[in-house]
Amino acid sequence: MLRPRTSPLAAVVSLTAGLTLALTACDGSGGGSDTVATDTPSGTATASTGTGTGTGSPGVDGGRTMAPSGGSTGGGTGAGTGTGAGADGTRCRTSQLAFAVAPGSGAQSKGEQGAITVTLTNRGVKSCVMKGYPGVDLVGGPTRWSLPRQTSESPSTVTVRPGATTTFTVFYLPFDKGDGQEFRPKSIVVTPPNETHPHTLPWTYSSVLLQDGATHPGTYVGPVGSK
């Protein structure tokens, strides 16, 4: 149990207790507009191909600058949630995507909430479609933390053309001595929306404050297509 140290955030992340055990995709609803992914991150990212093995106002937590947060629907889950089929029924599958972490990710200064931008690049010969939230688990030792979703930003339908890239963001709250329980992730397990096959990326950042039972966690994931 964590002691109630977290100050109120201006934008609230509300969690439903319990993890979803079935890898079942559901509609990542919302009134987001349709977009076409043509962007690529600045700098150079080391891509990792798929193999199949969630706008509030910034707040302050205990003197830390917090990135925009928002409410969430349901608990964390290892399955990506959303509607992934386009008009031709072609959704983006894990096996056709290259996964990477964009340069410049992570907390920029001590005491600040970190933001990790994950890029998803279509390696196929046809466009594919995604909408909703990726499943994101932080894994370290015996601990596997399925992250809640930022839902203040409505998911949009994202069409990813061949060679194009879309992104999503993982926000995390670094651990400071005296905060509570320290968690040292070793990897990020990502499952695209409407998929059940995950892909693993290495975690190369600082320890995280473990808030898997908290009402207002500072660690969560945004929808695909968010900046």
Side-chain angles (χ1 to χ4, degrees):
M1 296 293 295
L2 302 174
R3 63 179 181 272
R5 59 164 297 284
T6 310
S7 301
L9 302 179
V12 178
V13 176
S14 61
L15 300 177
T16 299
L19 303 179
T20 303
L21 297 181
L23 297 182
T24 304
C26 61
D27 187 357
S29 59
S33 58
D34 294 352
T35 60
V36 176
T38 57
D39 60 307
T40 54
S42 59
T44 301
T46 302
S48 178
T49 59
T51 57
T53 16
T55 321
S57 300
V60 175
D61 175 38
R64 305 185 187 196
T65 301
M66 304 293 290
S69 178
S72 66
T73 56
T77 174
T81 64
T83 53
D88 61 354
T90 303
R91 73 174 185 268
C92 295
R93 298 182 181 274
T94 305
S95 59
Q96 77 184 92
L97 297 172
F99 297 74
V101 174
S105 292
Q108 300 303 305
S109 61
K110 185 176 180 180
E112 286 191 354
Q113 187 185 41
I116 299 171
T117 300
V118 178
T119 65
L120 307 172
T121 302
N122 183 2
R123 301 183 302 118
V125 296
K126 295 182 179 180
S127 296
C128 64
V129 174
M130 284 184 278
K131 181 180 180 181
Y133 298 86
V136 176
D137 291 358
L138 299 185
V139 180
T143 302
R144 187 183 187 99
W145 183 9
S146 295
L147 300 187
R149 306 176 192 93
Q150 175 195 18
T151 57
S152 57
E153 180 179 354
S154 297
S156 299
T157 298
V158 180
T159 300
V160 190
R161 293 171 177 164
T165 296
T166 189
T167 65
F168 68 88
T169 303
V170 177
F171 298 96
Y172 70 96
L173 189 61
F175 173 80
D176 273 349
K177 187 176 180 179
D179 277 350
Q181 185 175 352
E182 181 180 14
F183 175 40
R184 298 180 179 180
K186 298 297 183 183
S187 60
I188 314 171
V189 180
V190 178
T191 309
N194 210 39
E195 276 285 278
T196 56
H197 298 290
H199 182 82
T200 301
L201 293 167
W203 178 273
T204 58
Y205 307 98
S206 65
S207 297
V208 175
L209 177 62
L210 184 63
Q211 297 179 303
D212 54 346
T215 305
H216 310 300
T219 301
Y220 48 87
V221 60
V224 168
S226 63
K227 297 293 186 180

